Amino acid sequence: MISALNRLVDLVEEHLTEEFDVDAVAGRLGTTEYHLRRMFSSLAGMPLSEYIRRRRMTVAAADLVRGGDDLLSIAVRYGYGSTEAFGRAFRAVHGVGPGDVRRCGGPLRTQSQLRFRLTVEGNTPMHTRIVDRPAFRLVGHAARVPLIHHGVNPHIQRHIAALPAQEHSRLKSLGNAEPAGLLQVLHDLNPDSTEGSELTYLHGVAIDTDTAVPTDLETLEVPAGTWAVFRTAGPHPQTLQAAWAATATEWFPSNPWRLRPGPSMVAFLERAADFSTATCELWLPVEPD
């Protein structure tokens, strides 16, 4: 994976003035666009699309300072149809307009070319199992919420708090498939995992495909597939979020699996009454790499 990401960075550099086809590049690298984007954003700390934009604007700034071409020519070179669109993108990266840079040479916020390296980590064992599951359904109450990487997501918290206490008991009684118990399900997640991007959150349970679904609940059909299941225990949600991040930085680069599209699920095995600590299982959809 580290080698694939470094080759990806090289290809971005070679095609800064062209439309970048991530899906085609992923195929050449022997992986999928979904997995490549997820791993890049997790390890680089920014979406691939944002890195490409920053690199283009960094190189475009050098073209402006050299002063050999007019502004429209530079805008078109980097994929913008007008100087106005180019100017907005340029200002978003550098904080100043192209004209200011041409006149004064800066100030500039440059994006260096990334290089991924394997460091010695993973000194904390990750308790993992690989599970093959037949098709099942996730049923419950869904809402669109923004992605938040660290700390409690208040949008999810409000969604759960709005449900009557008896509804949690009803959902538990419906669940008859693994993963057992009440689940926190994330679906339709942007592959770049951009903080603030919207996703579907479902508070519900897993049932088999033969079980009737009450009409007031939303349903997500989950096809048969393989899951990597990570067990965590400790302060919540910090321990769970740290383990989720470690799947990208440690587990996937070290194991012959890659993410596939599908919902991510968190099952609570034990928890304190105030949710300050919890023992959880994080279920991620995977396929052989």
Side-chain angles (χ1 to χ4, degrees):
M1 195 66 233
I2 298 298
S3 175
L5 288 170
N6 283 325
R7 182 57 184 145
L8 171 65
V9 168
D10 291 339
L11 290 169
V12 166
E13 210 65 20
E14 293 170 15
H15 299 280
L16 282 176
T17 59
E18 305 167 23
E19 187 71 25
F20 195 74
D21 189 339
V22 182
D23 185 47
V25 169
R28 289 170 58 185
L29 296 176
T31 186
T32 65
E33 178 181 358
Y34 184 86
H35 185 66
L36 195 63
R37 285 186 182 273
R38 287 287 295 270
M39 291 300 101
F40 184 96
S41 63
S42 296
L43 294 174
M46 73 180 90
L48 175 59
S49 56
E50 176 65 13
Y51 173 71
I52 293 172
R53 185 171 70 94
R54 290 185 189 182
R55 280 300 299 156
R56 281 178 175 157
M57 293 301 102
T58 295
V59 178
D63 289 351
L64 282 167
V65 171
R66 282 195 291 266
D69 296 309
D70 62 79
L71 187 56
L72 181 58
S73 297
I74 295 173
V76 171
R77 180 180 306 148
Y78 292 98
Y80 293 88
S82 68
T83 55
E84 290 78 11
F86 174 72
R88 287 192 295 271
F90 192 92
R91 186 178 291 277
V93 171
H94 295 291
V96 295
D100 300 319
V101 170
R102 173 149 280 179
R103 285 190 301 272
C104 306
L108 297 170
R109 299 172 186 162
T110 58
Q111 171 65 58
S112 300
Q113 185 176 349
L114 290 179
R115 186 56 51 186
F116 295 90
R117 291 185 174 86
L118 184 64
T119 58
V120 179
E121 294 180 347
N123 54 318
T124 302
M126 298 190 74
H127 301 283
T128 314
R129 59 193 173 101
I130 303 297
V131 178
D132 286 318
R133 289 284 291 114
F136 62 97
R137 290 174 178 156
L138 294 166
V139 299
H141 299 277
R144 294 291 288 174
V145 301
L147 174 64
I148 293 178
H149 288 149
H150 303 289
V152 174
N153 188 318
H155 308 277
I156 291 176
Q157 200 172 38
R158 283 196 296 270
H159 176 64
I160 297 173
L163 298 174
Q166 61 269 26
E167 185 60 15
H168 301 288
S169 299
R170 181 175 77 121
L171 288 171
K172 282 184 182 178
S173 68
L174 284 173
N176 61 6
E178 196 180 14
L182 283 174
L183 306 176
Q184 294 187 344
V185 180
L186 304 184
H187 186 51
D188 291 334
L189 182 63
N190 185 318
D192 287 329
S193 300
T194 311
E195 186 152 24
S197 61
E198 281 203 335
L199 57 94
T200 298
Y201 171 80
L202 184 136
H203 183 74
V205 294
I207 63 174
D208 61 44
T209 54
D210 296 326
T211 300
V213 180
T215 56
D216 63 324
L217 298 181
E218 296 182 68
T219 304
L220 176 62
E221 301 286 346
V222 183
T226 303
W227 302 79
V229 184
F230 303 88
R231 188 184 179 99
T232 69
H236 185 76
Q238 297 90 335
T239 303
L240 175 63
Q241 290 171 335
W244 207 319
T247 63
T249 59
E250 299 178 23
W251 194 82
F252 281 108
S254 308
N255 289 275
W257 299 94
R258 65 187 178 203
L259 281 166
R260 59 180 173 85
S264 302
M265 304 178 292
V266 177
F268 288 87
L269 307 182
E270 297 177 1
R271 65 175 180 84
D274 61 356
F275 260 99
S276 59
T277 62
T279 299
C280 305
E281 283 189 340
L282 168 62
W283 288 61
L284 298 180
V286 298
E287 61 188 5
D289 197 3

